[in-house]
Amino acid sequence: MAAHERGPARGAGHDRVAGRWRPSGPRSFLLVCSFLITLGSFAVLPYMSVLLHQRLGLGLGTVGFVLAVASLVQFSGGVAGGALARRIGLRATMLVALAVRTAGFAAFVPGLGSPWAAIGALFLVSCGAALYLPANKAYLVEGAAEAERPRLLSASGSAFNAGIALGPPAAAPFVLTSPGALFAAVTVLFAVVGLGHALLPAVSAETAGPGASGPRKDGDPAAPAGSPGTVGPPFLVTVLSVYVFMFFQHYLALYAVPRTSASFYGGVLMGYACLLVVAQPLLSEWIAGLSYRRAMRVGFGAMAAGTAVIGAGGRTGIGVGAALICLGEIVLFLKNDLEALARSSAAPAVVFGRQRLAAGIGAFASGVAGGQLYGAAEDVGTARGFWFAVALQALVLPVLLVPLAGAVRRRYGGSRTRPEKRTAADGGPRRTRA
């Protein structure tokens, strides 16, 4: 590790103004960049199926396969992003990621005349995204007290979701009429954001937090449950959270548009995004104070109720169901990240990389199961049954799989662990390596 990257960044702190907490310096810059990056990305990525199929002539089956693999790379590559951050530092990893992503968007400009060039550009963009997010989140929480992490992570999530909400409508007038100019504009945006990242203070991926005696190692005998070498509850719960959530993400349009209208569906998505952006920071401290078991009950319960209400039908059911699922997403996604950080002795970038891998596994499993399940529901003449089946999974799978995983871990890891006292974080005993 380079000597200039060993210490915490002095500019990466926070201010309290009139008793209120406010991120400052590099963290504020990263939050703004989180919005700009997703604004640029979602100005083009949601339209990739249209560009690949209508403009470049690829079959729908090929388009679906390409997008599925690109999504898997983007999620599972977070592990590589965490490993790279440990080797070269957080700022350097973000710079590499942005350079790769900028090159990917630039390659789309000549790639609009060749499907294979466009596919190559898409995979460059996906690889850049995989490398960037773990380092970005780790930089945000570096040096922060544990009580500040919920605010930082929720603010980051709100910034990302604001970009996701605004990107597609901002690009809609240009994506088919002048895609080359759109990709060129996004390339310039990413190049400017990358130059801004070069001015950030360098930070090691293993910098200790406040009050710590030094960087924690994977073999630290005080490492809590779920530390490197084990698949802890946050990993599995993240898989299940994303698995349930992606049914809503993938199939609401297929269900809602024929029963309402495309404009109503668009309004639901816009309302969902606005609720996510506003509510996530407001609820962050409450979520942080929940025990993990209670957070799971609230989160999965909200998702189960939401999907069941959607299945009940009607515009009101779809709107209320979307709001309940939004609550479930806010609680589970934030709490999973906080618990993963609290339970692991690994560097934050590595933790966030594993969480991205868990999300990728959940999304992939949901994609595989969802098509079969929705098709089966339509075959028997009741698409509503699909949503009730999803609600049942949201209630049953956490109850069955999380205790089963814990039992397996105790059975095969018992000789290497010893119990600790019961903690408020998970409502049960923690275990540390002997």
Side-chain angles (χ1 to χ4, degrees), residues 65-81:
F65 178 78
V66 167
L67 295 180
V69 175
S71 297
L72 188 60
V73 168
Q74 183 170 330
F75 279 110
S76 62
V79 174

Side-chain angles (χ1 to χ4, degrees), residues 29-89:
F29 171 79
L30 281 185
L31 292 174
V32 172
C33 288
S34 296
F35 168 73
L36 294 175
I37 286 171
T38 49
L39 178 70
S41 298
F42 279 81
V44 293
L45 294 181
Y47 300 104
M48 286 310 304
S49 59
V50 177
L51 290 172
L52 292 174
H53 178 58
Q54 293 187 4
R55 185 180 180 91
L56 298 176
L58 292 179
L60 287 175
T62 302
V63 170
F65 178 78
V66 167
L67 295 180
V69 175
S71 297
L72 188 60
V73 168
Q74 183 170 330
F75 279 110
S76 62
V79 174
L84 182 64
R86 293 189 69 184
R87 180 171 294 273
I88 68 174

Side-chain angles (χ1 to χ4, degrees), residues 234-270:
F235 186 94
L236 177 58
V237 177
T238 298
V239 171
L240 294 176
S241 302
V242 176
Y243 171 78
V244 173
F245 171 74
M246 293 305 288
F247 286 114
F248 167 80
Q249 185 84 351
H250 286 153
Y251 295 101
L252 182 63
L254 193 60
Y255 178 81
V257 172
R259 290 165 175 81
T260 57
S261 67
S263 60
F264 176 80
Y265 171 70
V268 169
L269 290 189
M270 183 64 70

Side-chain angles (χ1 to χ4, degrees), residues 44-366:
V44 293
L45 294 181
Y47 300 104
M48 286 310 304
S49 59
V50 177
L51 290 172
L52 292 174
H53 178 58
Q54 293 187 4
R55 185 180 180 91
L56 298 176
L58 292 179
L60 287 175
T62 302
V63 170
F65 178 78
V66 167
L67 295 180
V69 175
S71 297
L72 188 60
V73 168
Q74 183 170 330
F75 279 110
S76 62
V79 174
L84 182 64
R86 293 189 69 184
R87 180 171 294 273
I88 68 174
L90 299 175
R91 182 188 67 175
T93 300
M94 289 190 287
L95 287 173
V96 170
L98 289 170
V100 171
R101 213 165 186 192
T102 302
F105 284 117
F108 270 116
V109 178
L112 290 171
S114 165
W116 303 115
I119 291 172
L122 175 62
F123 278 102
L124 278 176
V125 171
S126 298
C127 289
L131 296 176
Y132 181 81
L133 192 59
N136 171 278
K137 283 190 170 183
Y139 199 105
L140 280 174
V141 302
E142 182 278 325
E146 187 171 349
E148 295 164 1
R149 288 174 172 178
R151 300 187 188 101
L152 289 168
L153 292 176
S154 63
S156 175
S158 290
F160 274 107
N161 282 294
I164 291 171
L166 295 178
F174 313 104
V175 70
L176 292 179
T177 57
S178 51
L182 178 62
F183 279 108
V186 173
T187 301
V188 172
L189 174 64
F190 271 81
V192 171
V193 169
L195 289 175
H197 278 65
L199 302 178
L200 289 171
V203 178
S204 165
E206 296 192 35
T207 302
S213 59
R216 292 172 296 177
K217 303 299 182 182
D218 285 358
D220 187 347
S227 58
T230 64
V231 178
F235 186 94
L236 177 58
V237 177
T238 298
V239 171
L240 294 176
S241 302
V242 176
Y243 171 78
V244 173
F245 171 74
M246 293 305 288
F247 286 114
F248 167 80
Q249 185 84 351
H250 286 153
Y251 295 101
L252 182 63
L254 193 60
Y255 178 81
V257 172
R259 290 165 175 81
T260 57
S261 67
S263 60
F264 176 80
Y265 171 70
V268 169
L269 290 189
M270 183 64 70
Y272 187 99
C274 292
L275 181 60
L276 199 63
V277 169
V278 173
Q280 194 166 25
L282 295 177
L283 297 177
S284 62
E285 293 191 34
W286 171 69
I287 294 169
L290 293 175
S291 71
Y292 201 23
R293 289 183 179 178
R294 177 164 294 182
M296 288 173 59
R297 287 196 292 268
V298 172
F300 284 113
M303 286 193 175
T307 49
V309 170
I310 289 173
R315 292 172 180 256
T316 302
I318 292 172
V320 172
L324 287 168
I325 291 171
C326 183
L327 172 63
E329 178 187 353
I330 291 171
V331 172
L332 288 173
F333 288 18
L334 177 58
K335 192 64 176 181
N336 286 336
D337 278 353
L338 293 173
E339 282 294 306
L341 284 171
R343 291 168 181 251
S344 178
S345 65
V350 175
V351 174
F352 289 126
R354 293 193 184 117
Q355 288 297 98
R356 290 285 289 174
L357 174 60
I361 293 171
F364 185 79
S366 183

